[in-house]
Amino acid sequence: MLRSFLSCAGVLFFLLAGPAWSAGSCERLVATGNPEYPPYLWRNPDNPAQLMGANAELLKRIGRALDIEVDVIYTGSWARAQDEARSGRVDMLAGAFVTQARVEYMDYVHPPFLHTDSVVWVRRGQELFYAGRQDLQGLKGGTLVNNSFGEDFDRYAQQHLSIEAVPSIAQAMRKLLLGRTDYVLYEQYPGTAIAQSLGFAEELDVLQPAISSEGLHFTLSHNSACNTARLRGQLARSLMELRASGVAERVLQDSLALWQSQQVQQDSLLLE
């Protein structure tokens, strides 16, 4: 209970403190993102008020290069994180696909720092013919609230598919295994990591081809005082340098290994 209180207090402190900004320069950026997104983002088990993972590490490396302090904090669900960016209570999202709805309240930093495939998850042994998104018509799907799979697929899904959005991807996977939905849509890396942590890895399969492959971008809220053309240019330049050096992919692989090691440690604690 004390740990939960300290976690909430830490989030409240960051949100109330806001960014440090003066005379057109930004000394501190507060970011948030999807907390169910390993190896890209997840809650730090040693400090649940913070998010860790590849996205957080890359953003912090950019911050150090620009002499800007970066805090990547947990603000709640992915839907809540987007609300925090929309309001300007945080400056940035540490990873988002481009959608028409989001560009209305955020600026995207280009280029994307990583790409990720979104796939169809089904129960192992389930008889479901799938060769493309058209084969999902007439079935009941599940995914995360406010999740996107890119503008093109989102538009197709809205017009042709029946997809129930739930607060957590763990809940979506449980409903799938109970037979309450026919499939779940989620990114392949994060879905695999979460399925492993829940003990579902041997009960689920991924269907190919992927429904989409989208770039992950850092974004700046329109309501952030730090959001200036100068900062966006600095972020873009640093991102291009990271991509050219191959750092982004190495950080992703390191984060995947870290996530897996944390799961092993947690399993060991449960067995003690």
Side-chain angles (χ1 to χ4, degrees), residues 119-130:
V119 295
V120 179
W121 294 83
V122 296
R123 296 182 299 278
R124 181 159 295 178
Q126 179 181 352
E127 293 184 5
L128 191 157
F129 175 81
Y130 173 79

Side-chain angles (χ1 to χ4, degrees), residues 74-129:
Y74 170 72
T75 56
S77 68
W78 180 217
R80 174 64 183 273
Q82 292 172 77
D83 287 340
E84 296 300 304
R86 183 183 292 107
S87 68
R89 287 189 290 270
V90 298
D91 300 296
M92 302 184 69
L93 287 181
F97 295 163
V98 177
T99 71
Q100 185 175 352
R102 292 172 185 168
V103 297
E104 294 180 0
Y105 63 90
M106 297 188 297
D107 288 314
Y108 282 75
V109 180
H110 295 274
F113 57 91
L114 285 168
H115 283 77
T116 180
D117 288 345
S118 295
V119 295
V120 179
W121 294 83
V122 296
R123 296 182 299 278
R124 181 159 295 178
Q126 179 181 352
E127 293 184 5
L128 191 157
F129 175 81

Side-chain angles (χ1 to χ4, degrees), residues 13 32 95 170 192 217 261:
F13 169 78
T32 190
T192 300
H217 293 260
S261 70

Side-chain angles (χ1 to χ4, degrees), residues 29-42 50-62 70-75 78 81-82 84-85 90-97 102 106-109 112-114 116 187 215-221 235 239:
L29 287 167
V30 178
T32 190
N34 183 352
E36 289 189 290
Y37 210 43
Y40 302 101
L41 281 178
W42 71 92
Q50 297 282 325
L51 296 179
M52 63 188 304
N55 297 10
E57 175 61 23
L58 287 170
L59 188 55
K60 289 181 177 182
R61 288 190 183 208
I62 291 172
V70 175
D71 291 305
V72 187
I73 66 170
Y74 170 72
T75 56
W78 180 217
Q82 292 172 77
E84 296 300 304
V90 298
D91 300 296
M92 302 184 69
L93 287 181
F97 295 163
R102 292 172 185 168
M106 297 188 297
D107 288 314
Y108 282 75
V109 180
F113 57 91
L114 285 168
T116 180
E187 287 92 319
L216 280 170
H217 293 260
F218 294 127
T219 70
L220 280 159
S221 169
L235 292 172
L239 270 177

